[in-house]
Coordinates of all heavy atoms in Angstrom, one line a residue:
M13 N 0.5 -3.4 -18.0 CA 0.0 -3.1 -16.7 C 1.0 -3.5 -15.6 O 1.6 -4.6 -15.7 CB -1.4 -3.8 -16.5 CG -2.1 -3.2 -15.2 SD -3.8 -3.9 -15.1 CE -3.4 -5.7 -14.8
T14 N 1.2 -2.6 -14.7 CA 2.2 -2.8 -13.6 C 1.6 -3.7 -12.5 O 0.5 -3.4 -12.1 CB 2.7 -1.5 -13.1 OG1 3.1 -0.7 -14.1 CG2 3.9 -1.7 -12.1
Q15 N 2.3 -4.7 -12.0 CA 2.0 -5.4 -10.8 C 2.8 -4.8 -9.7 O 4.0 -5.2 -9.5 CB 2.2 -6.9 -11.0 CG 1.2 -7.6 -11.8 CD 0.2 -8.3 -10.9 OE1 0.6 -9.0 -10.0 NE2 -1.1 -8.2 -11.2
T16 N 2.3 -3.8 -9.0 CA 3.1 -3.1 -8.0 C 3.3 -3.9 -6.8 O 2.4 -4.3 -6.1 CB 2.4 -1.8 -7.7 OG1 2.2 -1.0 -8.9 CG2 3.3 -1.0 -6.7
T17 N 4.6 -4.2 -6.5 CA 4.8 -5.0 -5.2 C 4.9 -4.0 -4.1 O 5.0 -2.8 -4.2 CB 6.1 -5.8 -5.4 OG1 7.2 -4.9 -5.7 CG2 6.0 -6.9 -6.5
I18 N 4.9 -4.6 -2.9 CA 4.9 -3.8 -1.6 C 6.0 -4.1 -0.7 O 6.1 -5.3 -0.3 CB 3.5 -4.0 -0.9 CG1 2.3 -3.7 -1.9 CG2 3.4 -3.1 0.3 CD1 1.0 -4.2 -1.4
D19 N 6.7 -3.1 -0.3 CA 7.7 -3.3 0.8 C 7.1 -2.6 2.0 O 7.1 -1.4 2.1 CB 9.0 -2.6 0.4 CG 10.1 -2.7 1.5 OD1 9.8 -3.2 2.6 OD2 11.2 -2.2 1.2
C20 N 6.5 -3.4 2.9 CA 5.8 -2.9 4.0 C 6.4 -3.2 5.4 O 6.7 -4.4 5.7 CB 4.3 -3.4 4.0 SG 3.4 -2.8 5.4
T21 N 6.7 -2.2 6.2 CA 7.3 -2.4 7.5 C 6.3 -1.9 8.6 O 6.7 -1.7 9.7 CB 8.6 -1.6 7.6 OG1 8.4 -0.2 7.3 CG2 9.7 -2.1 6.7
S22 N 5.0 -1.8 8.3 CA 4.0 -1.5 9.3 C 3.6 -2.8 10.0 O 2.6 -3.5 9.7 CB 2.8 -0.9 8.6 OG 3.1 0.3 8.0
T23 N 4.4 -3.2 11.0 CA 4.3 -4.5 11.6 C 3.1 -4.6 12.5 O 2.8 -5.7 13.0 CB 5.6 -4.8 12.4 OG1 5.9 -3.8 13.3 CG2 6.7 -5.1 11.4
T24 N 2.4 -3.5 12.8 CA 1.2 -3.6 13.6 C 0.0 -4.0 12.8 O -1.1 -4.3 13.3 CB 0.9 -2.2 14.3 OG1 0.8 -1.2 13.3 CG2 1.9 -1.8 15.3
C25 N 0.2 -4.1 11.5 CA -0.9 -4.5 10.6 C -1.1 -6.1 10.7 O -0.1 -6.8 10.6 CB -0.7 -4.1 9.2 SG -2.0 -4.6 8.0
A26 N -2.4 -6.5 10.7 CA -2.7 -7.9 10.8 C -2.3 -8.7 9.5 O -2.1 -9.9 9.5 CB -4.2 -8.1 11.0
Y27 N -2.1 -7.9 8.4 CA -1.6 -8.6 7.2 C -0.1 -8.6 7.0 O 0.4 -9.1 6.0 CB -2.2 -7.8 6.0 CG -3.6 -8.0 5.7 CD1 -4.6 -7.0 6.0 CD2 -4.1 -9.2 5.2 CE1 -5.9 -7.2 5.7 CE2 -5.4 -9.4 4.9 CZ -6.3 -8.4 5.2 OH -7.7 -8.6 4.9
N28 N 0.6 -8.0 8.0 CA 2.1 -8.0 7.9 C 2.7 -9.2 8.6 O 2.5 -9.4 9.8 CB 2.6 -6.7 8.5 CG 4.1 -6.6 8.2 OD1 4.9 -7.5 8.4 ND2 4.5 -5.5 7.5
N29 N 3.3 -10.1 7.9 CA 3.9 -11.3 8.4 C 5.2 -11.4 7.6 O 5.3 -12.1 6.6 CB 3.1 -12.5 8.3 CG 3.6 -13.7 9.1 OD1 4.6 -13.6 9.7 ND2 2.9 -14.8 9.0
H30 N 6.2 -10.7 8.1 CA 7.5 -10.6 7.4 C 7.3 -9.9 6.0 O 7.9 -10.3 5.0 CB 8.2 -11.9 7.2 CG 8.5 -12.6 8.6 ND1 9.3 -12.1 9.5 CD2 7.9 -13.7 9.1 CE1 9.3 -12.9 10.6 NE2 8.4 -13.8 10.4
G31 N 6.3 -9.0 5.9 CA 5.9 -8.3 4.7 C 4.4 -8.4 4.5 O 3.7 -9.0 5.4
C32 N 3.9 -7.8 3.4 CA 2.5 -7.8 3.2 C 2.0 -9.1 2.6 O 2.4 -9.6 1.6 CB 2.2 -6.6 2.2 SG 0.4 -6.5 1.9
T33 N 1.0 -9.7 3.3 CA 0.4 -10.9 2.9 C -1.0 -10.8 2.3 O -1.7 -11.8 2.0 CB 0.3 -11.9 4.1 OG1 -0.6 -11.4 5.1 CG2 1.7 -12.2 4.7
A34 N -1.5 -9.5 2.2 CA -2.8 -9.3 1.5 C -2.6 -9.6 0.0 O -1.6 -9.2 -0.6 CB -3.2 -7.9 1.7
L35 N -3.6 -10.2 -0.6 CA -3.5 -10.5 -2.1 C -3.3 -9.2 -2.8 O -2.5 -9.1 -3.8 CB -4.7 -11.3 -2.5 CG -4.7 -11.8 -3.9 CD1 -3.5 -12.7 -4.2 CD2 -6.0 -12.5 -4.2
A36 N -4.2 -8.2 -2.5 CA -4.1 -6.9 -3.1 C -4.6 -5.8 -2.1 O -5.6 -6.1 -1.4 CB -5.0 -6.9 -4.3
V37 N -3.9 -4.7 -2.0 CA -4.3 -3.7 -1.1 C -4.9 -2.5 -1.9 O -4.6 -2.3 -3.1 CB -3.2 -3.2 -0.2 CG1 -2.5 -4.4 0.6 CG2 -2.1 -2.4 -1.0
T38 N -5.6 -1.6 -1.2 CA -6.1 -0.4 -1.7 C -5.4 0.7 -1.0 O -5.3 0.7 0.2 CB -7.6 -0.2 -1.5 OG1 -8.3 -1.3 -2.3 CG2 -8.1 1.1 -2.0
I39 N -4.8 1.7 -1.8 CA -4.2 2.9 -1.2 C -5.2 4.0 -1.3 O -5.8 4.3 -2.3 CB -2.9 3.2 -1.9 CG1 -1.9 2.0 -1.9 CG2 -2.2 4.4 -1.3 CD1 -1.5 1.5 -0.6
G40 N -5.3 4.7 -0.1 CA -6.2 5.9 -0.1 C -5.6 6.9 0.8 O -4.5 7.4 0.5
G41 N -6.3 7.3 1.9 CA -5.8 8.3 2.8 C -6.6 9.5 2.8 O -7.8 9.5 2.4
N42 N -6.0 10.6 3.3 CA -6.7 11.9 3.4 C -5.8 13.0 2.8 O -4.8 12.7 2.1 CB -6.9 12.2 4.9 CG -5.7 12.1 5.7 OD1 -4.6 12.6 5.3 ND2 -5.8 11.6 6.9
T43 N -6.2 14.2 3.0 CA -5.5 15.3 2.3 C -4.0 15.4 2.9 O -3.2 16.0 2.2 CB -6.2 16.7 2.6 OG1 -6.4 16.8 4.0 CG2 -7.5 16.7 1.8
K44 N -3.8 14.9 4.1 CA -2.4 15.0 4.6 C -1.5 14.0 4.1 O -0.3 14.2 4.0 CB -2.5 15.0 6.2 CG -3.1 16.2 6.8 CD -3.0 16.1 8.3 CE -3.8 17.3 8.9 NZ -4.2 17.0 10.3
E45 N -1.9 12.7 3.9 CA -1.0 11.7 3.5 C -1.7 10.6 2.8 O -2.9 10.3 3.0 CB -0.2 11.1 4.7 CG -1.1 10.4 5.8 CD -0.3 9.8 6.9 OE1 0.9 9.6 6.7 OE2 -0.9 9.5 7.9
A46 N -0.9 9.9 1.9 CA -1.4 8.7 1.3 C -1.1 7.5 2.2 O 0.0 7.3 2.7 CB -0.7 8.5 -0.1
T47 N -2.2 6.7 2.5 CA -2.0 5.6 3.4 C -2.7 4.3 2.8 O -3.5 4.4 1.9 CB -2.6 5.8 4.7 OG1 -4.0 6.2 4.6 CG2 -1.9 7.0 5.4
C48 N -2.3 3.2 3.3 CA -2.9 1.9 2.9 C -4.2 1.7 3.6 O -4.3 1.6 4.8 CB -2.0 0.8 3.3 SG -2.6 -0.9 2.8
S49 N -5.3 1.7 2.8 CA -6.6 1.5 3.4 C -6.9 0.1 3.9 O -7.9 -0.2 4.5 CB -7.7 2.0 2.4 OG -7.5 3.3 2.0
T50 N -6.1 -0.9 3.5 CA -6.3 -2.2 3.9 C -5.7 -2.5 5.2 O -6.0 -3.5 5.9 CB -5.6 -3.2 2.8 OG1 -6.1 -2.9 1.5 CG2 -5.9 -4.6 3.1
F51 N -4.8 -1.6 5.7 CA -4.2 -1.7 7.1 C -5.3 -1.9 8.1 O -6.3 -1.2 8.2 CB -3.4 -0.4 7.4 CG -2.9 -0.3 8.8 CD1 -1.7 -0.8 9.1 CD2 -3.7 0.2 9.8 CE1 -1.2 -0.7 10.4 CE2 -3.3 0.3 11.1 CZ -2.0 -0.2 11.4
I52 N -5.1 -2.9 9.0 CA -5.9 -3.1 10.1 C -5.1 -3.7 11.3 O -4.4 -4.6 11.1 CB -7.2 -4.0 9.8 CG1 -8.1 -4.0 11.0 CG2 -6.8 -5.4 9.3 CD1 -9.5 -4.5 10.7
A53 N -5.2 -3.0 12.4 CA -4.5 -3.5 13.6 C -5.4 -4.4 14.4 O -6.4 -4.0 15.0 CB -4.0 -2.3 14.5
L54 N -5.0 -5.7 14.4 CA -5.8 -6.7 15.1 C -4.8 -7.6 15.9 O -3.7 -7.7 15.6 CB -6.6 -7.6 14.2 CG -7.7 -7.0 13.4 CD1 -8.3 -8.0 12.4 CD2 -8.8 -6.5 14.3
D55 N -5.4 -8.3 16.9 CA -4.5 -9.2 17.7 C -4.5 -10.6 17.0 O -4.8 -11.6 17.6 CB -5.1 -9.3 19.1 CG -4.1 -10.0 20.0 OD1 -2.9 -10.1 19.7 OD2 -4.5 -10.5 21.1
M56 N -4.2 -10.6 15.7 CA -4.1 -11.8 14.9 C -3.4 -11.5 13.6 O -3.1 -10.4 13.4 CB -5.5 -12.4 14.6 CG -6.3 -11.4 13.7 SD -7.8 -12.1 13.0 CE -7.1 -13.0 11.6
R57 N -3.0 -12.5 12.9 CA -2.4 -12.4 11.6 C -3.2 -13.1 10.6 O -3.7 -14.2 10.8 CB -1.0 -12.9 11.6 CG 0.0 -12.2 12.5 CD 0.4 -10.8 12.0 NE 0.5 -9.9 13.1 CZ 1.2 -8.8 13.1 NH1 1.8 -8.4 12.0 NH2 1.2 -8.0 14.2
G58 N -3.4 -12.5 9.4 CA -4.1 -13.2 8.3 C -3.5 -13.0 7.0 O -2.3 -12.5 6.9
G59 N -4.2 -13.3 5.9 CA -3.7 -13.2 4.6 C -3.0 -14.4 4.0 O -3.3 -15.5 4.5
L60 N -2.2 -14.2 3.0 CA -1.5 -15.3 2.3 C -0.5 -16.0 3.2 O 0.0 -15.3 4.1 CB -0.8 -14.8 1.0 CG -1.7 -14.1 0.0 CD1 -0.8 -13.3 -1.0 CD2 -2.5 -15.1 -0.8
P61 N -0.2 -17.2 2.9 CA 0.8 -17.9 3.7 C 2.2 -17.2 3.7 O 3.0 -17.3 4.6 CB 0.9 -19.3 3.2 CG -0.2 -19.5 2.2 CD -0.7 -18.1 1.9
T62 N 2.5 -16.6 2.5 CA 3.8 -15.9 2.4 C 3.5 -14.5 1.9 O 2.5 -14.2 1.3 CB 4.8 -16.6 1.4 OG1 4.1 -16.7 0.2 CG2 5.2 -17.9 1.9
A63 N 4.5 -13.6 2.2 CA 4.3 -12.2 1.9 C 4.5 -12.0 0.4 O 5.6 -12.1 -0.2 CB 5.3 -11.3 2.6
D64 N 3.4 -11.7 -0.3 CA 3.4 -11.5 -1.8 C 2.3 -10.5 -2.2 O 1.6 -10.7 -3.1 CB 3.2 -12.8 -2.5 CG 3.5 -12.7 -4.0 OD1 4.3 -11.9 -4.4 OD2 2.9 -13.5 -4.7
G65 N 2.2 -9.4 -1.4 CA 1.2 -8.5 -1.6 C 1.4 -7.5 -2.8 O 2.6 -7.3 -3.1
H66 N 0.4 -7.1 -3.4 CA 0.4 -6.2 -4.5 C -0.6 -5.0 -4.3 O -1.5 -5.2 -3.5 CB 0.2 -6.8 -5.8 CG 1.2 -7.8 -6.2 ND1 1.3 -9.1 -5.7 CD2 2.3 -7.7 -7.1 CE1 2.3 -9.7 -6.2 NE2 3.0 -8.9 -7.0
V67 N -0.4 -3.9 -5.0 CA -1.4 -2.9 -5.0 C -2.5 -3.2 -6.0 O -2.2 -3.3 -7.2 CB -0.7 -1.5 -5.3 CG1 -1.8 -0.4 -5.3 CG2 0.4 -1.2 -4.4
G68 N -3.7 -3.4 -5.5 CA -4.8 -3.7 -6.3 C -5.5 -2.4 -6.9 O -5.9 -2.4 -8.1
A69 N -5.5 -1.4 -6.1 CA -6.1 -0.1 -6.5 C -5.5 1.0 -5.7 O -5.1 0.8 -4.6 CB -7.6 -0.2 -6.3
C70 N -5.5 2.2 -6.4 CA -5.1 3.4 -5.7 C -6.0 4.5 -6.0 O -6.2 4.9 -7.1 CB -3.6 3.7 -6.0 SG -3.1 5.2 -5.1
Q71 N -6.5 5.1 -4.9 CA -7.4 6.2 -5.1 C -6.7 7.6 -5.2 O -7.4 8.6 -5.3 CB -8.4 6.2 -3.8 CG -9.1 4.9 -3.7 CD -9.8 4.8 -2.4 OE1 -9.6 5.5 -1.4 NE2 -10.7 3.8 -2.3
R72 N -5.4 7.6 -5.1 CA -4.6 8.9 -5.1 C -4.4 9.4 -6.5 O -3.2 9.3 -7.0 CB -3.4 8.7 -4.3 CG -3.6 8.3 -2.9 CD -4.5 9.2 -2.1 NE -4.0 10.6 -2.1 CZ -3.9 11.3 -1.0 NH1 -4.2 10.7 0.2 NH2 -3.5 12.5 -1.0
I73 N -5.4 9.9 -7.1 CA -5.2 10.4 -8.5 C -4.3 11.6 -8.5 O -3.8 12.1 -9.6 CB -6.5 10.8 -9.2 CG1 -7.3 11.7 -8.3 CG2 -7.3 9.5 -9.5 CD1 -8.6 12.2 -9.0
D74 N -4.0 12.2 -7.3 CA -3.1 13.3 -7.2 C -1.6 12.9 -7.2 O -0.7 13.7 -7.2 CB -3.4 14.1 -5.9 CG -3.5 13.3 -4.7 OD1 -3.9 12.1 -4.8 OD2 -3.1 13.8 -3.6
C75 N -1.3 11.6 -7.2 CA 0.0 11.0 -7.2 C 0.5 10.8 -8.7 O -0.3 10.3 -9.5 CB 0.1 9.7 -6.5 SG 1.7 8.9 -6.5
K76 N 1.7 11.1 -8.9 CA 2.2 11.0 -10.3 C 2.4 9.6 -10.8 O 2.5 9.3 -12.0 CB 3.5 11.8 -10.5 CG 4.8 11.2 -10.0 CD 5.9 12.1 -10.4 CE 7.3 11.4 -10.2 NZ 8.4 12.3 -10.5
H77 N 2.4 8.6 -9.9 CA 2.5 7.2 -10.3 C 1.1 6.6 -10.6 O 1.0 5.4 -11.0 CB 3.1 6.4 -9.1 CG 4.5 6.8 -8.8 ND1 5.5 6.6 -9.7 CD2 5.0 7.4 -7.7 CE1 6.7 7.1 -9.2 NE2 6.4 7.6 -8.0
N78 N 0.0 7.4 -10.4 CA -1.3 6.9 -10.6 C -1.8 7.1 -12.0 O -1.7 8.2 -12.6 CB -2.3 7.7 -9.6 CG -3.6 7.0 -9.5 OD1 -4.3 6.8 -10.5 ND2 -3.9 6.6 -8.3
N79 N -2.3 6.0 -12.6 CA -2.9 6.1 -14.0 C -4.2 5.4 -13.9 O -4.2 4.2 -13.7 CB -1.9 5.5 -15.0 CG -2.4 5.6 -16.4 OD1 -3.2 6.5 -16.7 ND2 -2.0 4.7 -17.3
E80 N -5.3 6.1 -14.1 CA -6.6 5.6 -14.1 C -6.9 4.7 -12.9 O -7.4 3.6 -12.9 CB -6.9 4.8 -15.4 CG -6.8 5.6 -16.6 CD -7.1 4.9 -17.9 OE1 -7.1 3.7 -18.0 OE2 -7.4 5.6 -18.9
L81 N -6.5 5.3 -11.7 CA -6.8 4.7 -10.4 C -6.0 3.4 -10.1 O -6.4 2.6 -9.3 CB -8.3 4.5 -10.2 CG -9.1 5.8 -10.1 CD1 -10.6 5.5 -10.2 CD2 -8.8 6.5 -8.8
M82 N -4.9 3.2 -10.9 CA -4.0 2.1 -10.7 C -2.6 2.7 -10.4 O -2.3 3.7 -11.0 CB -3.9 1.2 -11.9 CG -5.3 0.6 -12.3 SD -5.8 -0.7 -11.3 CE -4.7 -2.0 -11.9
C83 N -1.8 2.0 -9.6 CA -0.4 2.4 -9.4 C 0.5 1.9 -10.4 O 0.5 0.7 -10.7 CB 0.0 2.0 -8.0 SG 1.7 2.5 -7.6
E84 N 1.3 2.7 -11.0 CA 2.3 2.2 -12.0 C 3.7 2.2 -11.6 O 4.6 2.0 -12.4 CB 2.1 3.1 -13.3 CG 0.8 2.9 -14.0 CD 0.8 3.3 -15.4 OE1 1.5 4.3 -15.8 OE2 0.1 2.7 -16.2
A85 N 3.9 2.4 -10.3 CA 5.3 2.3 -9.7 C 5.6 0.8 -9.7 O 4.7 0.0 -9.4 CB 5.4 2.9 -8.4
P86 N 6.8 0.4 -9.9 CA 7.2 -1.1 -9.8 C 7.0 -1.6 -8.4 O 6.7 -2.8 -8.2 CB 8.6 -1.2 -10.3 CG 9.1 0.2 -10.3 CD 8.0 1.2 -10.4
E87 N 7.3 -0.7 -7.4 CA 7.2 -1.1 -6.0 C 6.9 0.1 -5.2 O 7.3 1.2 -5.5 CB 8.5 -1.7 -5.5 CG 8.5 -2.1 -4.0 CD 9.8 -2.7 -3.5 OE1 10.8 -1.9 -3.4 OE2 9.9 -3.9 -3.3
I88 N 6.1 -0.1 -4.1 CA 5.9 1.0 -3.2 C 6.4 0.6 -1.8 O 6.5 -0.6 -1.5 CB 4.4 1.4 -3.1 CG1 3.5 0.3 -2.5 CG2 3.9 1.9 -4.4 CD1 2.1 0.7 -2.0
I89 N 6.7 1.6 -1.0 CA 7.2 1.4 0.4 C 6.1 1.9 1.3 O 5.7 3.1 1.2 CB 8.5 2.1 0.6 CG1 9.6 1.5 -0.3 CG2 9.0 2.0 2.1 CD1 10.9 2.2 -0.4
I90 N 5.7 1.1 2.3 CA 4.7 1.4 3.3 C 5.4 1.4 4.6 O 6.0 0.4 5.0 CB 3.5 0.5 3.3 CG1 2.8 0.4 1.9 CG2 2.5 0.8 4.4 CD1 2.0 1.7 1.5
T91 N 5.2 2.4 5.4 CA 5.9 2.5 6.7 C 5.0 3.1 7.8 O 4.0 3.8 7.5 CB 7.1 3.3 6.7 OG1 6.8 4.7 6.4 CG2 8.2 2.8 5.7
G92 N 5.3 2.8 9.0 CA 4.8 3.5 10.2 C 3.4 3.0 10.6 O 2.8 2.1 10.0
N93 N 2.9 3.5 11.7 CA 1.7 3.1 12.3 C 0.5 3.6 11.6 O -0.6 3.1 11.8 CB 1.6 3.5 13.8 CG 2.6 2.8 14.7 OD1 3.0 1.7 14.4 ND2 3.0 3.4 15.8
T94 N 0.7 4.5 10.6 CA -0.5 4.9 9.8 C -0.4 4.2 8.4 O -1.2 4.5 7.5 CB -0.5 6.4 9.6 OG1 0.7 6.8 9.0 CG2 -0.7 7.2 10.9
A95 N 0.5 3.3 8.2 CA 0.7 2.6 6.9 C 0.9 3.7 5.8 O 0.1 3.7 4.8 CB -0.4 1.7 6.6
H96 N 1.8 4.6 6.0 CA 2.1 5.7 5.0 C 2.7 5.2 3.8 O 3.7 4.4 3.8 CB 3.0 6.7 5.8 CG 3.4 7.9 4.9 ND1 2.5 8.8 4.5 CD2 4.6 8.2 4.4 CE1 3.1 9.7 3.8 NE2 4.4 9.4 3.7
C97 N 2.2 5.6 2.6 CA 2.9 5.3 1.3 C 3.9 6.3 1.0 O 3.6 7.5 0.6 CB 1.8 5.3 0.2 SG 2.6 4.9 -1.4
T98 N 5.2 5.9 1.3 CA 6.3 6.9 1.1 C 6.7 7.1 -0.4 O 7.5 7.9 -0.7 CB 7.6 6.4 1.9 OG1 8.0 5.2 1.3 CG2 7.3 6.3 3.4
S99 N 6.1 6.3 -1.2 CA 6.3 6.4 -2.7 C 5.5 7.4 -3.3 O 5.7 7.7 -4.5 CB 6.1 5.0 -3.3 OG 6.9 4.0 -2.7
Y100 N 4.5 7.9 -2.6 CA 3.6 9.0 -3.2 C 4.4 10.2 -3.6 O 5.3 10.6 -2.9 CB 2.6 9.4 -2.1 CG 1.8 10.7 -2.4 CD1 0.6 10.6 -3.1 CD2 2.3 12.0 -2.2 CE1 -0.1 11.7 -3.4 CE2 1.6 13.1 -2.5 CZ 0.4 13.0 -3.2 OH -0.3 14.1 -3.5
E101 N 4.1 10.7 -4.8 CA 4.8 11.9 -5.3 C 3.7 12.8 -5.9 O 3.0 12.3 -6.8 CB 5.8 11.6 -6.3 CG 7.1 11.0 -5.8 CD 8.1 10.8 -6.9 OE1 8.7 11.8 -7.3 OE2 8.4 9.7 -7.3
A102 N 3.5 14.0 -5.4 CA 2.5 14.9 -5.9 C 2.7 15.2 -7.4 O 3.9 15.3 -7.8 CB 2.4 16.1 -5.1
R103 N 1.7 15.3 -8.2 CA 1.8 15.6 -9.6 C 2.3 17.1 -9.7 O 2.0 17.9 -9.0 CB 0.5 15.5 -10.3 CG 0.0 14.1 -10.5 CD -1.2 14.1 -11.4 NE -1.8 12.8 -11.4 CZ -1.4 11.8 -12.2 NH1 -0.5 12.1 -13.1 NH2 -2.0 10.6 -12.2
Ligands
SF4_223 S1 3.0 5.5 -5.2 FE1 1.3 6.9 -5.6 S2 -0.1 5.7 -7.1 FE2 1.4 4.2 -6.1 S3 0.2 3.4 -4.3 FE3 1.5 5.2 -3.6 S4 0.1 6.9 -3.7 FE4 -0.8 5.3 -5.0

């Protein structure tokens, strides 16, 4: 089983403190783009003391890295104000 690490530059997210500090994120989104559903813009920072986030679950069964609702990519890249998963690849 892959422990997918996260390279996240969505600095408006409350879990971003020099990287993703959520223990595990869920990737979801809509028909237009795959996005991080854990993203939340708040006037505070939370999560782990250091950036060590992983993908806990991914709802994008239409992505070729998805196997049984888990991500099998070694690392994903999250960017922008919508926390877009740039590692998404359509099957
Ligand atoms: S690369 Fe694909 S399977 Fe992995 S988190 Fe992004 S959308 Fe989900």
Side-chain angles (χ1 to χ4, degrees):
M13 191 173 67
T14 308
Q15 282 257 314
T16 305
T17 58
I18 304 167
D19 177 357
C20 180
T21 56
S22 297
T23 53
T24 54
C25 180
Y27 285 108
N28 192 305
N29 192 359
H30 306 291
C32 180
T33 63
L35 186 61
V37 305
T38 296
I39 304 298
N42 54 39
T43 52
K44 289 187 185 155
E45 64 175 343
T47 57
C48 178
S49 300
T50 306
F51 172 92
I52 186 164
L54 295 173
D55 192 19
M56 62 168 283
R57 297 285 144 162
L60 300 166
T62 55
D64 190 27
H66 293 82
V67 179
C70 179
Q71 301 167 349
R72 301 306 300 235
I73 55 174
D74 51 326
C75 175
K76 77 176 194 182
H77 299 293
N78 195 299
N79 184 24
E80 297 184 341
L81 294 167
M82 303 282 286
C83 180
E84 292 199 326
E87 179 182 70
I88 63 165
I89 298 172
I90 301 288
T91 62
N93 290 335
T94 60
H96 177 71
C97 179
T98 63
S99 305
Y100 169 91
E101 290 183 72
R103 287 186 190 275

